[in-house]
Amino acid sequence: MRKLSVTLLSAFSIFVGLLLLWQSVIWIFSLPPYLLPSPARVAHAIVTRLPSLMTSLGLTAAAAAGGLLAALLVGVAIALLFAQSPWIRRMFYPYTILLQTVPIVAIAPMILLWIGPGLSAVTLIAFIICLAPIVANTTQGLISVDRNMVDLFLMHNASRSQVLLKLRLPHAMPSIFTGIRIASGIAVIGAITGELFAGSSRVGVGGIGYAIQYASAQLETDYLFALVLAATLLGFVFFFAVMFLDWYFLHHWHESARVVDQE
Amino acid sequence: MNTPLIVPAIALDQATKRYGIAKAGIATILESITTQVQRREFVSIIGPSGCGKSTLLKIVAGLSPITSGSIAIHGMTPQKARELISFIFQDATLLPWRTVRQNVVLGLELDGMARETRNAKVDTVLSLVGLSHVADSFPRQLSGGMKMRVSIARALATRPQILLLDEPFAALDEMTRDRINEELLRLREEQNWTALFVTHSVAEAVFLSTRILILAPNPGRIAHDLPIELPFPRTESTRRSSAFDRTVSEVSRALRSVSINSESKGDGQEIGVYPA
């Protein structure tokens, strides 16, 4: 407990220090607000435009979470298929790498063209960017089961589905969570990138990416700062939510999840 | 103890195991293994590495088919006899996401036994190996010796006729190992299974066995078949007896002759591979 309060206190003092530095840069170089708004102005923008900020935040969160969840379901399903035989893996694995290397910025306009702007397009973009790490990690987890453990199941004439449900899937859980952790970070980035292209089907209402574009075009730098803060916060929330789930499901038995568990 | 009318627990006749395809070169792992293990025997298999000890266990378990010859477990094929057999692996191979109780119940669960019946069986076997107090712990909370006990409990829960053990205690410290050895003999006294035990330790083999098979490598074959006449029950004092020391040095000598021969024979050519 004491350690925690020290950590919080030091984090808070650094925060205050940064605010002071920010303010003094404005004073020293006498920067106009459209180049660098003061902390007070940003705070003011957050308070006065809270409803639209929350709407944007909600849309981006929905797209990122939806994309992540869909990628989890589809990704695990693909990995289960991959785990069936090395032959299937050799045939299809290159395509998952392709999925990982294709620049999302380049395919966003295509998606916009095909399904039109709006939440579903953004969700699809987040989904695409999340899929590869989940497939790769889950597959690895499913196939890296100790040979002796498989033999143990075979000695009891276990069926394929029993080996899968009682051995491979639980064994893969830590790897699946590694995949989700990687994907959760890029899900938010993917959604915001998607929104830059396909953010809104209604003028003025869109996710954070859309609002960022709008605010920068209008030189509303104070609101731009507020949006960047909101986006960062969203990434934080995703990261810690996944970390909590990881801990919740694995801390009983798995070493990786025990860090939080000790003291 | 055994009359010829009783089918042996394990009967191998000219059993041979080869790997590979004719053109690329065939490795003979085991060559013409012929032996019988009677019920209630405790047979240890020792030999230099690469002599096919573990493969022999996998063949008996029905996890690896033989290339030629025949094998019968209680008069059946190994696949049919699987429910008579339990396998104890080199490391405890516990499922880390299951508690001790859930690990021990695994075999019964896979065999499709009703929940009530299997829970009662698990309680019995846990108290048999002295693990009742950690029944709800996870494997990572246990010491190496305790993990191995869980592994033994899991193997015994299905009431096997035959126990196959593949260097199960190699990773344990000597004191723990000695204690588990004694426990294993006590459990055998109560449950009357047949054991086929692979080990690197001559002393362990002598202490546990009624018979020791020494395998020679390249290709794996039975070089010596030595009965161990030390009286049962064997305890801590057995290890201190001069008869025990004498037997250990006899077996060691036999093992050494096999190892030396295999080293000189292996010179110059790739070991155990005979191109067609």
Side-chain angles (χ1 to χ4, degrees), chain B residues 121-143:
Chain B
K121 289 210 172 201
V122 167
D123 286 337
T124 313
V125 78
L126 278 177
S127 68
L128 199 64
V129 295
L131 283 175
S132 304
H133 62 295
V134 291
D136 296 312
S137 304
F138 284 90
R140 69 167 170 85
Q141 297 167 297
L142 306 180
S143 66

Side-chain angles (χ1 to χ4, degrees), chain B residues 97-115:
Chain B
W97 54 89
R98 286 179 169 232
T99 61
V100 167
R101 181 190 300 280
Q102 290 166 337
N103 265 290
V104 173
V105 86
L106 181 72
L108 303 171
E109 189 182 313
L110 292 173
D111 291 342
M113 183 181 284
R115 192 175 296 267

Side-chain angles (χ1 to χ4, degrees), chain A residues 33-111:
Chain A
Y34 68 87
L35 271 188
L36 184 62
S38 67
R41 268 176 181 274
V42 174
H44 183 73
I46 292 173
V47 173
T48 52
R49 304 183 65 171
L50 196 59
S52 58
L53 187 63
M54 290 315 282
T55 310
S56 293
L57 200 60
L59 281 169
T60 306
L68 181 61
L69 208 64
L72 178 62
L73 294 176
V74 176
V76 170
I78 292 175
L80 287 174
L81 195 71
F82 279 6
Q84 296 308 306
S85 86
W87 185 76
I88 298 178
R89 278 200 294 286
R90 268 199 296 278
M91 245 170 58
F92 291 102
Y93 202 67
Y95 296 98
T96 53
I97 296 171
L98 209 68
L99 201 65
Q100 197 165 17
T101 49
V102 66
I104 200 75
V105 186
I107 56 166
M110 276 191 269
I111 289 165

Side-chain angles (χ1 to χ4, degrees), chain A residues 146 148-149 151-158 162 166-167 170-171 251-255 258 261, chain B residues 58 61 63 82 85 87 89 91 93-98 106-107 109-111 138 140 154 158:
Chain A
D146 183 2
N148 284 343
M149 290 199 181
D151 281 348
L152 179 73
F153 275 68
L154 292 183
M155 288 298 295
H156 291 282
N157 299 311
Q162 276 179 319
K166 290 181 194 273
L167 180 61
H171 175 84
H251 75 284
H252 308 289
W253 63 273
H254 196 256
E255 300 296 331
R258 280 180 66 204
D261 205 18
Chain B
K58 295 219 161 179
L63 292 169
R82 263 181 190 166
I85 301 176
F87 208 123
F89 297 93
D91 36 37
T93 52
L94 304 177
L95 306 182
W97 54 89
R98 286 179 169 232
L106 181 72
E109 189 182 313
L110 292 173
D111 291 342
F138 284 90
R140 69 167 170 85
R154 178 177 64 193
T158 52

Side-chain angles (χ1 to χ4, degrees), chain B residues 25-59:
Chain B
I26 293 172
T28 304
I29 310 299
L30 292 167
E31 178 81 65
S32 303
I33 303 289
T34 301
T35 189
Q36 291 192 348
V37 177
Q38 304 303 332
R39 294 185 192 183
R40 299 245 318 105
E41 262 195 298
F42 197 118
V43 177
S44 285
I45 304 169
I46 55 177
S49 41
C51 69
K53 303 184 291 271
S54 296
T55 308
L56 190 56
L57 282 197
K58 295 219 161 179
I59 286 171

Side-chain angles (χ1 to χ4, degrees), chain A:
Chain A
M1 253 357 251
R2 181 134 170 243
K3 225 168 163 181
L4 183 70
S5 55
V6 170
T7 312
L8 283 178
L9 198 70
S10 53
F12 181 73
S13 34
I14 287 173
F15 177 70
V16 172
L18 281 174
L19 284 185
L20 285 174
L21 184 70
W22 178 359
Q23 188 65 61
S24 39
V25 165
I26 294 170
W27 280 328
I28 295 164
F29 300 100
S30 50
L31 296 169
Y34 68 87
L35 271 188
L36 184 62
S38 67
R41 268 176 181 274
V42 174
H44 183 73
I46 292 173
V47 173
T48 52
R49 304 183 65 171
L50 196 59
S52 58
L53 187 63
M54 290 315 282
T55 310
S56 293
L57 200 60
L59 281 169
T60 306
L68 181 61
L69 208 64
L72 178 62
L73 294 176
V74 176
V76 170
I78 292 175
L80 287 174
L81 195 71
F82 279 6
Q84 296 308 306
S85 86
W87 185 76
I88 298 178
R89 278 200 294 286
R90 268 199 296 278
M91 245 170 58
F92 291 102
Y93 202 67
Y95 296 98
T96 53
I97 296 171
L98 209 68
L99 201 65
Q100 197 165 17
T101 49
V102 66
I104 200 75
V105 186
I107 56 166
M110 276 191 269
I111 289 165
L112 180 65
L113 199 67
W114 291 331
I115 64 173
L119 187 61
S120 43
V122 177
T123 309
L124 182 62
I125 290 167
F127 164 78
I128 291 172
I129 207 172
C130 288
L131 194 58
I134 291 177
V135 171
N137 282 285
T138 307
T139 307
Q140 195 54 41
L142 287 172
I143 63 176
S144 66
V145 173
D146 183 2
R147 181 69 229 174
N148 284 343
M149 290 199 181
V150 179
D151 281 348
L152 179 73
F153 275 68
L154 292 183
M155 288 298 295
H156 291 282
N157 299 311
S159 66
R160 239 182 140 81
S161 65
Q162 276 179 319
V163 174
L164 188 67
L165 289 176
K166 290 181 194 273
L167 180 61
R168 290 193 190 277
L169 262 182
H171 175 84
M173 281 302 275
S175 312
I176 294 177
F177 269 108
T178 305
I180 299 176
R181 203 157 41 207
I182 297 168
S184 71
I186 56 179
V188 176
I189 297 172
I192 292 175
T193 312
E195 284 164 352
L196 291 177
F197 293 88
S200 179
S201 50
R202 260 192 304 152
V203 178
V205 183
I208 291 177
Y210 174 82
I212 283 174
Q213 228 181 17
Y214 199 81
S216 81
Q218 305 284 321
L219 280 183
E220 295 170 343
T221 317
D222 48 358
Y223 189 48
L224 196 60
F225 266 71
L227 288 165
V228 171
L229 275 177
T232 314
L233 194 73
L234 187 62
F236 248 69
V237 169
F238 265 63
F239 181 81
F240 282 108
V242 172
M243 228 171 80
F244 173 76
L245 288 176
D246 189 345
W247 172 83
Y248 183 80
F249 284 110
L250 300 181
H251 75 284
H252 308 289
W253 63 273
H254 196 256
E255 300 296 331
S256 78
R258 280 180 66 204
V259 192
V260 199
D261 205 18
Q262 294 162 341
E263 304 297 307

